Amino acid sequence: MPPTPPPPRTLVLGATGFLGRWLLLELLGRGGAVAAAVRDAGRDTALRAWLREHGADTTALTTATADLTRPGLGLSPDDDARLSEVRDVHNLAAHYQFGLTRAEAEPTNVRGALHALRWSATRPRLRRLVHLSGYRVGRDPHPRYPLDPGTTAALYSRLGAYEASKQLGDAAVRVTAPELGVPLTTVNPSSVIGHSATGEAGQYLGLAQLVRQLHRGRLPLLPGTRRTFLPVVTVDHLARLLAAVPGHDRDPVAAHTVLDPTTPDLPDLIALLAAHLGVRPPRGLIPVPLVRRLPRFLTGADPETLTFLSEDRYDTTSADRLATAAGLAHPPVVPALQRWSTRLVAEDFGDD
């Protein structure tokens, strides 16, 4: 029989997802005892295989069957007891997809975020809950939750179900964590691209969809302006920073916006990738408000992605301070973008 792993000190929710796998790889590489929440045994097998393929020693990995949409994470009494020594909880779980309905998005992205928070409050040795949001989320220094029904409905109508539910989930944990005495850090990453050294992708939404259109000659005009800024962060840098959070953050509630500020403005980024991939760049720009009014079959643009096309810049001071304290730095962004786009093409953008 395989050896019994030591009691885990860290739990990763969303462990089988794109970010969760890379965070587990980082945590195991640091020699920690880690628990991964999985939905079923089949995912456990696939997760361990992926980790071993990437050089991880999985003997210190515990898996627990969990369901974020249920109170107490749906854990059995035995699994809950096995996680009694957990000090750090990383909630990376989200229903990440555009075109969701509110009923599809809320169970994980809003109620699930609160379930993770309330379960964390039951851990006697809890050091910190790390909740993953997004760089367009959580910018209100004084969030309100819950909102009245009319305001909530308007938010869903304006942003779409994915972004609205992430915004509400972020507000919910930031409001509720102090009430429960749970030390909380929200990490708000920009568009996450592949591994800086290998380009390994594993996620094909967001900016990857734009690169797909570019590569397939379906991007004659680029939505936005010359100053549209769609920043990126490599998955390996984000995983290292997430792993560093519990050991460095001390404030009861902290927040870090994580992105590479040297990301080229979107027109320059797309021109760079067009040259790298040997395809024709867009002929020009088209204002986002006009794209919203045109039929989707003409533009190929998902309406929910248009909210990310902004000239806004973002304050990364706290994340930069954390990275410096942890000895981290962003990998060079242009080679990372090139490796990632090459990998996307090789994987046919995840299409079957």
Side-chain angles (χ1 to χ4, degrees):
M1 293 181 61
T4 301
R9 300 294 190 266
T10 301
L11 172 67
V12 178
L13 300 166
T16 60
F18 171 54
L19 300 181
R21 296 195 305 268
W22 288 102
L23 176 58
L24 282 175
L25 190 65
E26 177 67 24
L27 292 169
L28 291 169
R30 295 178 176 214
V34 186
V38 299
R39 292 293 295 268
D40 55 59
R43 295 191 181 192
D44 174 12
T45 301
L47 175 62
R48 289 177 181 272
W50 186 92
L51 290 167
R52 287 192 293 267
E53 287 169 4
H54 289 76
D57 180 352
T58 60
T59 55
L61 178 66
T62 297
T63 54
T65 303
D67 182 352
L68 197 73
T69 67
R70 297 173 58 193
L73 306 182
L75 292 166
S76 70
D78 286 345
D79 276 345
D80 190 77
R82 287 194 298 131
L83 302 177
S84 63
E85 300 292 312
V86 164
R87 298 196 308 159
D88 304 323
V89 179
H90 290 267
N91 182 17
L92 311 186
H95 196 162
Y96 180 30
Q97 183 179 333
F98 297 120
L100 296 173
T101 65
R102 178 176 173 178
E104 291 169 332
E106 281 195 342
T108 298
N109 297 352
V110 184
R111 294 193 294 275
L114 285 170
H115 291 156
L117 170 63
R118 290 179 177 132
W119 181 86
S120 298
T122 68
R123 298 304 93 182
R125 302 180 186 277
L126 184 72
R127 180 168 62 166
R128 186 154 295 264
L129 167 64
V130 183
H131 175 85
L132 195 80
S133 288
Y135 75 115
R136 301 283 293 172
V137 169
R139 291 183 289 174
D140 184 350
H142 305 291
R144 292 182 299 120
Y145 185 86
L147 303 178
D148 64 80
T151 303
T152 299
L155 187 70
Y156 273 93
S157 176
R158 178 169 59 88
L159 298 179
Y162 171 73
E163 190 70 3
S165 64
K166 287 297 290 181
Q167 185 163 311
L168 288 170
D170 178 89
V173 297
R174 290 168 65 201
V175 167
T176 310
E179 298 172 357
L180 297 179
V182 171
L184 171 72
T185 294
T186 56
V187 175
N188 309 308
S190 63
S191 297
V192 183
I193 63 171
H195 192 282
S196 61
T198 67
E200 184 171 346
Q203 182 168 272
Y204 307 99
L205 294 175
L207 182 58
Q209 294 175 312
L210 206 58
V211 179
R212 179 198 283 121
Q213 289 178 286
L214 174 71
H215 184 256
R216 296 179 179 178
R218 299 173 186 168
L219 194 64
L221 296 173
L222 181 65
T225 72
R226 290 297 316 170
R227 284 182 47 79
T228 295
F229 185 50
L230 193 60
V232 302
V233 61
T234 63
V235 69
D236 47 313
H237 178 79
L238 179 57
R240 289 193 293 267
L241 189 136
L242 284 166
V245 164
H248 287 84
D249 281 358
R250 295 292 181 267
D251 292 339
V253 177
H256 305 300
T257 296
V258 186
L259 56 87
D260 190 331
T262 67
T263 305
D265 286 343
L266 185 61
D268 297 326
L269 187 156
I270 292 298
L272 181 155
L273 293 181
H276 174 70
L277 297 173
V279 298
R280 179 175 297 181
R283 294 192 295 271
L285 299 167
I286 181 171
V288 169
L290 179 56
V291 178
R292 292 185 189 278
R293 292 197 294 269
L294 292 173
R296 182 174 174 180
F297 75 87
L298 288 178
T299 66
D302 189 312
E304 288 188 55
T305 66
L306 298 178
T307 62
F308 293 87
L309 300 181
S310 166
E311 294 184 359
D312 291 350
R313 267 39 179 186
Y314 308 89
D315 183 1
T316 62
T317 302
S318 64
D320 296 340
R321 188 182 303 119
L322 170 62
T324 298
L328 304 176
H330 287 282
V333 69
V334 170
L337 282 163
Q338 291 172 329
R339 294 186 187 104
W340 171 67
S341 64
T342 298
R343 190 70 175 250
L344 286 174
V345 171
E347 296 173 356
D348 199 24
F349 299 90
D351 293 345
D352 294 331

